[in-house]
Amino acid sequence: MWILGIAGSHNSGAALIRDGKVVVAIQTERLTRCKRQLISLDQMGMQAAEVIRYCLRYAGIDLADLDAIATCTPWSAIHPQFAFSQPGLLGRVRLPRFVTVPHHLAHAEYAIHYSPLEPALVLVCDGSGTYEKQRCQLDIQEREDGALRFVDDDGKESISAYVFDGTHLRLIYRVAYGEATHLPPDAAGLSARPQGWLLSMGHLWEWGALYCHGSSHEAGKVMGLAPFGDPAEHADLQTLWMDASGAMKIDLRALFERFQSPNLSAADISGDRNYADIASHVQSLTNTFLVDLVRFLQTRYSTRNVCYSGGVALNSIANEYLRRQLDLKLHMNGSCEDNGTAIGAALAVYHSFTGERVAEEVTDYYGREYSPEEIRAAVQGYAGDIMAMPRAHLLRYTSRALASGAVVGWFQGRSEFGPRALGNRSILADPRNEHMQDILNRRVKHREAFRPYAPAVVEERAAEFFDLDCPSPVMLRVVPVRVASLPAVTHVDGTARVQTVARAQNEIFYDLLTAFGGETGVPVLLNTSFNVAEPIVETPGDALRTFAGTQMDLLVAGDLVIHPAAGKSHLQDAK
């Protein structure tokens, strides 16, 4: 059974599953090269056609082979419709039936798919999901029995909790508030933004991102800035909490009253303690509230097993705080923001049709792999030196270059689906170099100094370098660094957002880490996303264009080692 999933959202994408297993998935932005490319389900045009074709071509099937198209959106346009002005974009075939899925249910289905399928709590936290007043119009309906609801008539789900019995999901808790009203006017006009402010955790983080960094999409920057601040500075400000009944309480008004100087110009605020304290306040509130929430849910269903998804689940600091405070077995995968609902919606429809579930190993390598011929075609005519190497030679050459200080673009295998580069579309460097963060910021990434870089480490040696008790394959854990020899990936608070790599998950990246360990004694590399001011690269052409526009030292694409054009290399001979 083939089911295509479409996430109609600000992090849109498509996924294809067969008999309950994920075959391929792609974010729309990776193809359009426009960050956070949206798809609106009621106006699916060229962008939707691109991701659908990508998935169908990978699988070698046509639209006519699909049993259903599952759709999911957090917006009001819940009824899917193509808006093609050009006939034949997807071929002249009869479309399979559309099946609409609640937003949080799709997040929940995504989370449990990568769990052992044992009884568990399933938690979804984000900015907003399905409108409560539209829920009855959707094709898939949630199971529910005595759920605790904190819901407004005009509300949108922002927290949902389910009990999973090994087969079925049952809703036990929901928060779905409407927009904050009577917000005080502020000089910058933040309180009156056209799309409004929902009373949700996700919108609390949107406020923090807009206030500190000039864009509501920069929650990751807020997380990186938070360790530079002091949460005690605004401890008197009650912004987010849980009352005795279990209801989430959020007071956005207090934020607008106190904070009146937003960084709307998106200036670099490295070293600005005022904004760091605000970021720390938001992070601390989130940590505490999530612990209180799960502790409350455990009074209704006692378990250590928690499957977790939704945009808030990308907060790796809060994830680790939650895990350690409550000794949880936390089951997550890397695409827990809205792109992952393309997978989750398809899985929900598969379960609805068949009653079956299939568990899979955690992975985010769901894009396509490009052939040696496609890579060679992309670099044909490039002015820099290009060398083809057998794998053993390539690994030795690259590891020695990295140990000599090179910054390497690394393009291998299937592309990552989610927001983290996990060793297939990565920029790599030596984590032992205390100047490497500055080098990357000046020559390649052009990022603010307060933003940390992440390490990748071979799984079996991870505990030597990081305070890890189990694998972290998709960079959703921030943990203490145990050694002083990794300054380029150690944040100001002594932590790092770690990726562990097993050979079964990513053979060539594991082998590169091992080769680098053979050169240096440290099987750890700095791993950041292969992009500059645009989405992570998808194709060999994207990789070469990004490489040529920066001061990276090498591009390793498939079996090719590519040097910059004459006069651009900063690398000493690493042969």
Side-chain angles (χ1 to χ4, degrees), residues 22-25 114 343 360 363-368 414-415 417:
V22 182
V23 174
V24 61
Y114 303 98
I343 292 175
E360 293 192 86
T363 184
D364 218 18
Y365 304 119
Y366 281 135
R368 59 161 294 197
R414 299 184 67 176
S415 57
F417 179 42

Side-chain angles (χ1 to χ4, degrees), residues 26 51 77 139 330:
I26 184 70
V51 292
D139 296 314
L330 205 57

